[in-house]
Amino acid sequence: NAGVTQTPKFRILKIGQSMTLQCTQDMNHNYMYWYRQDPGMGLKLIYYSVGAGITDKGEVPNGYNVSRSTTEDFPLRLELAAPSQTSVYFCASSYSTHSGNTIYFGEGSWLTVV
Amino acid sequence: GQQVMQIPQYQHVQEGEDFTTYCNSSTTLSNIQWYKQRPGGHPVFLIQLVKSGEVKKQKRLTFQFGEAKKNSSLHITATQTTDVGTYFCAGPRAQKLVFGQGTRLTINP
């Protein structure tokens, strides 16, 4: 009963480094999302995907890239990390946004850029 | 674009007091969802409302969807320390779910 699995859970990056946050879901959901949540703030959508091979920008895509080669996986790539990218990152998935389809979140990845 | 506004941003209550958070959308919503995020945790789905004027209850939690399907509320009766967390409403927009800013609830035992 894994649901949405994110790795790593914690990571410290130096300015200018790159890394990939991994996300996989075993619910056969079409839709996948990446959100970031700054301390005490709400959820901001970075990128989303409505199916394998399809990705689109959310509210705050700058500094990030994604790919969706399979239904299960939706990795988030940070290139040239900056302190402004210090945040908690949540991967999520759903069948769709239509009635009856809710979003399931992973447990989050805490990223600090120093 | 569609925005979902949530008030208040913060609410501190004494244990046993009631709590309400309100959600307002700039456009009509086909449905609205509510999520709870415990401190240090991830958002977890609570409920979805679909019909105009719909009211749903989960124990001490009462959820309402406005007649115009542009606003919603979550009311907690007689709060308990387990209710601590941030409550988010969310409405669909195209292929995305737009979240409100959340209401952070803290409780004095």
Side-chain angles (χ1 to χ4, degrees):
Chain A
N1 194 20
V4 179
T5 303
Q6 293 180 234
T7 57
K9 195 169 180 66
F10 300 98
R11 182 73 187 268
I12 298 175
L13 272 182
K14 293 186 178 179
I15 294 172
Q17 286 186 322
S18 300
M19 74 160 296
T20 298
L21 297 176
Q22 303 291 345
C23 177
T24 187
Q25 53 92 7
D26 61 359
M27 297 174 281
N28 201 31
H29 285 167
N30 296 320
Y31 286 50
M32 295 190 75
Y33 317 83
W34 274 105
Y35 291 90
R36 62 174 285 174
Q37 185 177 37
D38 297 334
M41 305 296 284
L43 299 160
K44 294 182 180 179
L45 183 64
I46 305 171
Y47 270 96
Y48 67 102
S49 167
V50 300
I54 306 169
T55 62
D56 212 340
K57 297 177 180 179
E59 303 171 70
V60 289
N62 291 344
Y64 307 94
N65 276 301
V66 293
S67 60
R68 185 93 183 272
S69 56
T70 66
T71 299
E72 296 79 17
D73 301 308
F74 191 42
L76 177 72
R77 178 83 177 160
L78 280 74
E79 304 282 2
L80 299 173
S84 61
Q85 293 178 303
T86 294
S87 191
V88 182
Y89 292 83
F90 290 102
C91 180
S93 71
S94 70
Y95 281 114
S96 75
T97 56
H98 297 311
S99 297
N101 295 299
T102 62
I103 286 185
Y104 295 83
F105 285 84
E107 295 188 345
S109 297
W110 274 253
L111 177 66
T112 302
V113 181
V114 296
Chain B
Q2 175 190 315
Q3 292 190 1
V4 177
M5 307 299 292
Q6 209 174 334
I7 56 169
Q9 190 174 359
Y10 303 97
Q11 184 80 58
H12 180 77
V13 301
Q14 289 289 126
E15 188 175 14
E17 291 182 339
D18 292 356
F19 159 77
T20 304
T21 174
Y22 300 90
C23 184
N24 293 289
S25 171
S26 55
T27 59
T28 301
L29 300 169
S30 59
N31 68 82
I32 193 158
Q33 300 177 14
W34 285 92
Y35 291 77
K36 177 183 178 181
Q37 183 179 25
R38 294 182 186 275
H42 59 282
V44 174
F45 173 77
L46 291 177
I47 207 162
Q48 179 178 250
L49 305 170
V50 178
K51 299 177 182 177
S52 169
E54 188 170 14
V55 178
K56 286 188 176 180
K57 292 190 176 184
Q58 289 180 349
K59 297 183 181 178
R60 294 177 295 102
L61 277 62
T62 302
F63 303 83
Q64 291 189 327
F65 201 10
E67 294 290 340
K69 301 182 75 173
K70 295 177 74 172
N71 55 71
S72 181
S73 65
L74 158 59
H75 179 81
I76 303 178
T77 303
T79 55
Q80 299 175 358
T81 54
T82 53
D83 296 325
V84 163
T86 300
Y87 294 84
F88 293 96
C89 62
R93 180 181 70 186
Q95 296 164 325
K96 303 183 290 289
L97 201 63
V98 178
F99 282 83
Q101 306 95 310
T103 296
R104 184 176 174 187
L105 173 64
T106 55
I107 298 174
N108 205 20

